[in-house]
Amino acid sequence: MIAALALVVGIVLGLVLRPTVPGWLEPYLPIAVVAALDAVFGGLRARLDGIFDAKVFVVSFISNVLVAALIVFLGDKLGVGAQLSTAVVVVLGIRIFGNAAAIRRHLFHA
């Protein structure tokens, strides 16, 4: 219940305050969101499998976002930012769909 309430409060604050993203941070935001979604789906899968650990989830969430942003940053510095961004999205997308399939199988036994 606390997580649902925090989500609602976060959404309302976002709509009311309308935060802006600095221009230098814009290329990293979509990658960070995909990395965060990977951690969330992984945490949900772990919860349904009965092996969820909050400490592992927080570390996974933060490290996923930081590593993905670092990869894109290095790609930008090397001049191949778009290719590395695509690679990060593909890898994390595969993980997200794998976790989503496991969640579906657990919930619907299919």
Side-chain angles (χ1 to χ4, degrees), residues 2 5 7 16 19 23 27-28 31 43 45 53 55-56 58 86 93 96 100 103 105-106 108:
I2 293 173
L5 182 61
L7 177 65
V16 171
Y28 309 107
I31 302 301
R45 178 183 182 180
D53 181 8
K55 186 193 243 183
V56 171
V58 170
T86 302
I96 289 169
I103 292 167
R105 285 190 300 271
H106 185 78
F108 301 113

Side-chain angles (χ1 to χ4, degrees), residues 17-44:
L17 298 177
R18 296 198 182 270
T20 58
V21 178
W24 62 270
L25 196 58
E26 285 180 3
Y28 309 107
L29 186 61
I31 302 301
V33 169
V34 172
L37 284 174
D38 174 50
V40 168
F41 276 92
L44 182 57

Side-chain angles (χ1 to χ4, degrees), residues 24-87:
W24 62 270
L25 196 58
E26 285 180 3
Y28 309 107
L29 186 61
I31 302 301
V33 169
V34 172
L37 284 174
D38 174 50
V40 168
F41 276 92
L44 182 57
R45 178 183 182 180
R47 175 76 172 116
L48 292 173
D49 290 342
I51 58 171
F52 180 79
D53 181 8
K55 186 193 243 183
V56 171
F57 172 74
V58 170
V59 169
S60 172
F61 188 90
I62 293 170
S63 64
N64 273 7
V65 171
L66 290 177
V67 168
L70 179 64
I71 290 171
V72 174
F73 174 77
L74 289 174
D76 284 345
K77 294 300 176 194
L78 295 172
V80 292
Q83 291 87 346
L84 282 180
S85 294
T86 302

